[in-house]
């Protein structure tokens, strides 16, 4: 018995060491994609080195109504300004992954105890179940993708919340009502709140509690009748049943409303098509979980084929049937095989928010991080039952974790090499515009623009409305001698059909405008850029205020380069009026001043003063709190006053190039 007390911690340490070694090659990778859309907030309003900048940063999130401040807080462990080194971010995420593995072991062991399993078997099964999860290669794209710490933190909160709630429920079972109620409320209410502050899918913790209560606890460990039972029922209604019903009702309403109205304009599919597609997506996820391999599609899934009917693609209806069969079987087997039943229902419960009716992108591997927590526990229980096939099962206990560790190591090596990663993902995803554009950028950086041209032209022929392909093609052409009329036509066609340029156009414009003005790329002129912008402005798919503001502002920058300050000022004012924001006013006025036109900058600030009462109200949730923080700190009036003073000095002195765009303005387009 004593040796087991020592053996289990040693095995846990061995598991953690194996996981660290498996992931180690990926720690030296770079930032990727959405990292650049989120992490620069660390320096957007100045280095986070005092309480004022801390509160501005921690409330700056825009994802979910909460803004995910818990995730933002953890990024401060790794950097307090931007640009930053990616290694500390990846190291912290890996440590968090290992912590989640330890917590998962504790949860599985506790569940095994509640199912009346013998100590040696439940501990071995818990260790094996957590090892298979911890070492699974599918989770590499969550752990090493820095921004997806927002998917990892809910797992920490969910497991910790379940353990805390289970402790509180045990206290109630022993008649300790006050302490049991407090522990239960902290476990479910407190940790749900923390999980939601990391990402919205943390709100599913009450549903996980409900599943464990129904499948594991109620049939075997009922709370004794009396005050304890009444107290616990009240707790379940308040903190478990009602929140779960609210989430289900919201998802159902979004689905029904979407089916009736057709769905969001910013997606290429309707809500009805999404609901038909997601069963196929879930089957793909399960295939990757149970038939793992070293490499997958990674972060690029924009080429995923949408289901347009029950029979197109042909796998749509079979996927729906399998999904319903799994759910029905899991419920039917809940008494005879509670562990398997719980693992299946837990998985699909974990996909409820991100893989049903909400209009998110169709497919991302990181959506399996929390749902798969219990996935391999039933396998661990089967392998540790050595009454049958003992030799085979003991062999599998060693082979399976080591096999997963080797695949994870191979995938982590890929994540540590941006060049190889980009080319492999492009090969795996030949129809993904994102994957091909990313690979083309890597090829251009490596001095192989001709390879990039070949890659981009091939896909652009079948996806002519993809601006990311057309713009990168122009960049590659510039490296090989200049652009042609056909390249301009292709870019114009992409701007005519693009549904959403996002931040792509603004970032590409920032890189391309100096090239156009310097004449380094024959055929690329400011007139060509202006034509592309005007084409975008006439695109009905880009008729909303956001894209119109971006394009109009960029047109003003071209006018400024062409020494047309009045035209530039007019475009800046027009862009500002589309969405009145102080950050926009600051950036536009500072840009005019930096170009040598401080008087026009002052006039733009005067215009903003007249229309500032029409400023966009902050969105619900964290944006409202962020606006309150800025108002409390008198942030915008201070920045506007400072810029006005500088522009005034420049205008008086005739100094044409001292007013620089304020990095603290926080303007986004």
């Amino acid at each position: 018995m004593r040796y087991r007390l020592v053996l289990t911690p040693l095995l846990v340490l061995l598991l953690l060491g194996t996981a660290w070694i498996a992931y180690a090659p990926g720690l030296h990778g770079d930032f990727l994609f959405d990292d650049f859309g989120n992490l620069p907030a660390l320096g957007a309003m100045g280095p986070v080195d005092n309480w004022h900048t801390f509160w501005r940063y921690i409330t700056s999130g825009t994802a979910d109504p909460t803004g995910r401040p818990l995730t933002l807080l953890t990024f401060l462990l790794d950097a307090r300004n931007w640009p930053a080194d990616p290694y500390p971010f990846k190291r912290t995420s890996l440590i968090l992954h290992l912590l989640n593995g330890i917590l998962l072991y504790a949860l599985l062991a506790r569940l095994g105890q509640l199912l009346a399993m013998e100590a040696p078997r439940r501990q071995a099964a818990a260790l094996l179940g957590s090892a298979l999860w911890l070492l699974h290669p599918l989770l590499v794209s969550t752990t090493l993708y820095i921004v997806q710490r927002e998917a990892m933190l809910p797992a920490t909160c969910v497991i910790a919340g379940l353990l805390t709630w289970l402790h509180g429920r045990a206290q109630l079972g022993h008649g300790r009502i006050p302490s049991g109620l407090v522990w239960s409320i902290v476990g479910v209410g407190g940790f749900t709140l923390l999980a939601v502050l990391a990402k919205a899918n943390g709100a599913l913790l009450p549903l996980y509690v409900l599943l464990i209560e129904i499948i594991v606890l109620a049939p075997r460990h009922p709370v004794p009748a009396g005050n304890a039972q009444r107290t616990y029922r009240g707790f379940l209604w308040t903190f478990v049943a009602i929140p779960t019903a609210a989430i289900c009702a919201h998802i159902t309403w979004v689905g029904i409303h979407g089916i009736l109205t057709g769905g969001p304009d910013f997606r290429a599919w309707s809500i009805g098509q999404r609901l038909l597609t997601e069963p196929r997506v879930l089957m793909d996820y399960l295939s990757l979980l149970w038939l793992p391999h070293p490499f997958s599609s990674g972060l690029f899934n924009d080429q995923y084929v949408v289901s347009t009917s029950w029979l197109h693609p042909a796998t749509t209806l079979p996927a729906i049937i399998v999904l319903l069969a799994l759910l029905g079987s899991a419920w039917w087997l809940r008494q005879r095989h509670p562990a398997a039943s719980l693992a299946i229902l837990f998985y699909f419960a974990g996909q409820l928010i991100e893989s049903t009716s909400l209009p998110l992108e169709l497919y991302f591997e990181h959506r399996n991080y929390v749902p798969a927590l219990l996935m391999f526990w039933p396998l661990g229980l089967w392998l540790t039952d050595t009454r049958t096939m003992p030799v085979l099962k003991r062999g599998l206990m060693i082979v399976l974790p080591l096999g997963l560790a080797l695949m994870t190591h191979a995938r982590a090596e890929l994540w540590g090499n941006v060049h190889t990663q980009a080319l492999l993902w492009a090969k795996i995803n030949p129809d993904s515009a994102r994957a091909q554009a990313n690979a083309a950028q890597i090829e251009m950086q490596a001095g192989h623009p001709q390879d990039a041209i070949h890659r981009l032209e091939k896909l652009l022929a079948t996806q002519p409305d993809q601006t990311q392909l057309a713009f990168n093609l122009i960049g590659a052409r510039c490296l090989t001698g200049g652009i042609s009329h056909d390249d301009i036509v292709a870019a114009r066609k992409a701007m005519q059909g693009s549904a959403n340029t996002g931040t792509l156009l603004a970032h590409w414009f920032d890189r391309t405008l100096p090239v156009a003005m310097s004449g380094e790329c024959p055929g690329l002129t400011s007139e060509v850029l202006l034509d592309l912008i005007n084409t975008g402005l006439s695109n009905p798919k880009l008729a909303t205020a956001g894209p119109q503001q971006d394009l109009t502002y960029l047109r003003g920058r071209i006018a400024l380069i062409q020494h047309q300050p009045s035209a530039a000022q007019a475009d800046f004012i027009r862009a500002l009026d589309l969405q009145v924001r102080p950050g926009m006013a600051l950036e536009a006025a500072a840009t005019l001043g930096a170009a040598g036109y401080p008087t026009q900058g002052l006039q733009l600030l005067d215009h903003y003063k007249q229309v500032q009462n029409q400023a966009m109200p902050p969105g619900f949730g964290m944006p409202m709190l962020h606006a309150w923080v800025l108002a409390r700190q008198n942030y915008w009036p201070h920045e506007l006053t400072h810029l006005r003073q500088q522009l005034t000095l420049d205008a008086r002195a005739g100094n044409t190039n001292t007013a620089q765009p304020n990095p603290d303005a926080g303007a986004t387009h």
Side-chain angles (χ1 to χ4, degrees):
M1 190 68 177
R2 289 183 178 179
Y3 82 91
R4 288 176 182 160
L5 296 177
V6 177
L7 180 61
T8 299
L10 288 177
L11 289 175
V12 171
L13 289 175
L14 177 62
L15 170 60
L16 298 178
T18 302
W20 185 276
I21 293 171
Y23 271 93
L27 295 177
H28 302 284
D30 208 342
F31 297 109
L32 291 170
F33 317 113
D34 285 350
D35 290 339
F36 295 105
N38 292 270
L39 297 177
L42 287 162
M45 289 190 167
V48 187
D49 54 7
N50 58 67
W51 284 112
H52 281 82
T53 53
F54 171 81
W55 289 115
R56 291 201 295 267
Y57 165 72
I58 209 69
T59 61
S60 64
T62 56
D64 301 338
T66 67
R68 303 176 182 175
L70 183 60
T71 303
L72 297 180
L73 181 64
T74 66
F75 289 147
L76 292 177
L77 297 172
D78 310 309
R80 297 186 179 181
N81 203 353
W82 187 262
D85 179 10
Y87 179 82
F89 290 89
K90 292 181 181 286
R91 179 185 58 200
T92 300
S93 292
L94 179 53
I95 292 172
L96 180 61
H97 185 53
L98 300 183
L99 172 62
N100 287 340
I102 296 172
L103 291 172
L104 179 59
Y105 167 76
L107 176 63
L108 297 181
R110 179 69 175 131
L111 290 174
Q113 182 183 28
L114 292 168
L115 290 174
M117 297 175 184
E118 295 180 355
R121 185 187 175 202
R122 70 171 180 254
Q123 291 173 357
L127 183 62
L128 189 56
S130 56
L132 297 178
W133 179 85
L134 190 67
L135 297 171
H136 203 289
L138 186 63
L139 304 186
V140 170
S141 58
T142 306
T143 307
L144 294 181
Y145 190 12
I146 295 168
V147 74
Q148 289 310 326
R149 193 178 298 173
E150 62 194 14
M152 302 174 70
L153 285 167
T156 311
C157 297
V158 163
I159 305 172
L162 291 175
L163 287 169
T164 306
W165 159 68
L166 288 172
H167 175 72
R169 192 186 187 283
Q171 293 283 306
L172 286 167
H174 289 95
R176 304 185 187 102
I177 296 177
S179 62
L181 183 60
V182 169
W183 281 104
S184 297
I185 291 174
V186 170
V188 181
F191 278 100
T192 297
L193 176 61
L194 286 175
V196 168
L197 292 178
K199 193 176 182 180
N201 63 352
L204 293 171
L205 174 55
L207 178 55
Y208 303 142
V209 169
L210 188 61
L211 290 174
I212 295 173
E213 177 67 33
I214 293 172
I215 297 172
V216 177
L217 296 176
R220 296 167 183 82
H221 306 278
V223 175
N227 289 336
Q229 188 178 85
R230 287 191 293 272
T231 300
Y232 189 62
R233 284 179 178 174
F235 160 79
L236 286 178
W237 275 105
T238 305
F239 291 94
V240 177
I242 293 176
T244 298
I247 292 172
C248 293
H250 176 68
I251 291 172
T252 301
W253 181 87
V254 170
I256 294 173
H257 182 265
I259 291 172
L260 295 176
T261 60
D265 295 333
F266 57 88
R267 299 296 186 196
W269 35 260
S270 67
I271 295 297
Q273 290 172 338
R274 176 183 171 81
L275 289 171
L276 288 173
T277 305
E278 285 305 313
R280 292 174 40 236
V281 171
L282 292 173
M283 292 305 106
D284 285 349
Y285 290 161
L286 289 173
S287 175
L288 291 171
L289 285 166
W290 285 104
L291 299 173
H293 41 82
F295 308 114
S296 67
S297 59
L299 306 184
F300 299 111
N301 300 285
D302 51 307
Q303 82 289 358
Y304 200 88
V305 178
V306 176
S307 293
T308 56
S309 72
W310 297 88
L311 300 177
H312 184 78
T315 53
T316 301
L317 183 58
I320 295 172
I321 293 173
V322 172
L323 173 62
L324 295 175
L326 284 171
L327 290 170
S329 299
W331 184 254
W332 183 59
L333 294 172
R334 69 188 185 279
Q335 294 181 347
R336 285 182 291 170
H337 301 284
S341 172
L342 179 61
I344 294 170
L345 294 175
F346 190 100
Y347 177 79
F348 289 115
Q351 298 286 358
L352 189 62
I353 288 179
E354 294 181 302
S355 300
T356 53
S357 62
L358 300 185
L360 307 171
E361 292 205 37
L362 295 175
Y363 188 116
F364 276 120
E365 292 178 357
H366 66 256
R367 291 175 183 170
N368 291 278
Y369 193 84
V370 175
L373 284 171
L374 307 188
M375 179 66 68
F376 306 107
W377 181 44
L379 177 59
L381 290 171
W382 180 76
L383 290 174
T384 53
D385 182 6
T386 54
R387 292 174 295 179
T388 60
M389 299 182 290
V391 176
L392 174 63
K393 289 182 177 179
R394 287 180 179 131
L396 288 174
M397 288 182 202
I398 298 173
V399 171
L400 289 178
L402 288 180
L404 291 178
L406 290 173
M407 285 188 277
T408 292
H409 188 272
R411 190 173 294 197
E413 284 186 323
L414 185 70
W415 277 77
N417 187 323
V418 174
H419 185 273
T420 304
Q421 183 185 55
L423 296 184
L424 180 62
W425 280 348
K427 183 178 180 180
I428 294 174
N429 304 286
D431 297 323
S432 167
R434 294 175 187 172
Q436 302 309 319
N438 176 63
Q441 290 172 1
I442 295 297
E443 288 170 330
M444 284 186 275
Q445 292 171 10
H448 303 291
Q450 200 62 49
D451 292 339
I453 290 171
H454 176 72
R455 177 186 303 281
L456 294 166
E457 283 184 328
K458 183 179 179 181
L459 192 57
L460 189 59
T462 59
Q463 300 184 27
D465 60 345
Q466 288 290 340
T467 52
Q468 57 192 319
L469 299 176
F471 292 165
N472 278 292
L473 179 59
I474 288 177
R477 291 287 193 193
C478 287
L479 296 175
T480 58
I483 66 172
S484 67
H485 174 71
D486 290 342
D487 298 324
I488 298 172
V489 170
R492 187 185 298 120
K493 188 173 183 179
M495 284 299 291
Q496 286 173 339
S498 177
N500 183 12
T501 61
T503 59
L504 169 68
L505 180 60
H507 291 162
W508 179 78
F509 187 93
D510 285 336
R511 298 192 306 269
T512 306
L513 183 59
V515 176
M517 299 313 300
S518 66
E520 296 175 14
C521 181
L524 181 63
T525 64
S526 59
E527 288 76 17
V528 169
L529 296 180
L530 182 61
D531 176 61
L532 293 177
I533 290 171
N534 287 330
T535 301
L537 284 168
S538 64
N539 180 352
K541 297 179 182 178
L542 302 177
T544 56
Q548 289 287 305
Q549 183 179 61
D550 293 344
L551 292 166
T552 304
Y553 178 79
L554 294 178
R555 189 170 65 182
R557 287 186 57 188
I558 290 181
L560 207 54
I561 292 294
Q562 294 176 336
H563 306 293
Q564 300 174 13
S566 297
Q569 183 192 57
D571 277 331
F572 288 164
I573 289 175
R574 192 175 296 111
L576 175 63
D577 289 345
L578 285 167
Q579 290 182 321
V580 178
R581 293 180 288 118
M584 176 72 194
L586 279 164
E587 183 174 348
T591 300
L592 285 165
Y597 306 105
T599 300
Q600 284 78 1
L602 288 168
Q603 291 170 353
L604 190 144
L605 290 182
D606 290 338
H607 176 78
Y608 169 72
K609 189 174 181 179
Q610 296 173 3
V611 300
Q612 62 182 342
N613 291 334
Q614 303 172 24
M616 294 177 59
F620 175 76
M622 188 58 72
M624 295 179 64
L625 181 58
H626 184 63
W628 180 84
V629 168
L630 295 178
R632 181 85 174 179
Q633 295 180 3
N634 203 35
Y635 179 77
W636 292 121
H638 175 269
E639 294 297 321
L640 288 163
T641 299
H642 176 76
L643 179 59
R644 182 178 289 277
Q645 290 173 347
Q646 184 63 57
L647 291 173
T648 301
L649 289 174
D650 291 346
R652 289 174 179 173
N655 189 337
T656 62
N657 286 297
T658 58
Q660 298 295 327
N662 192 334
D664 292 350
T668 57
H669 297 292

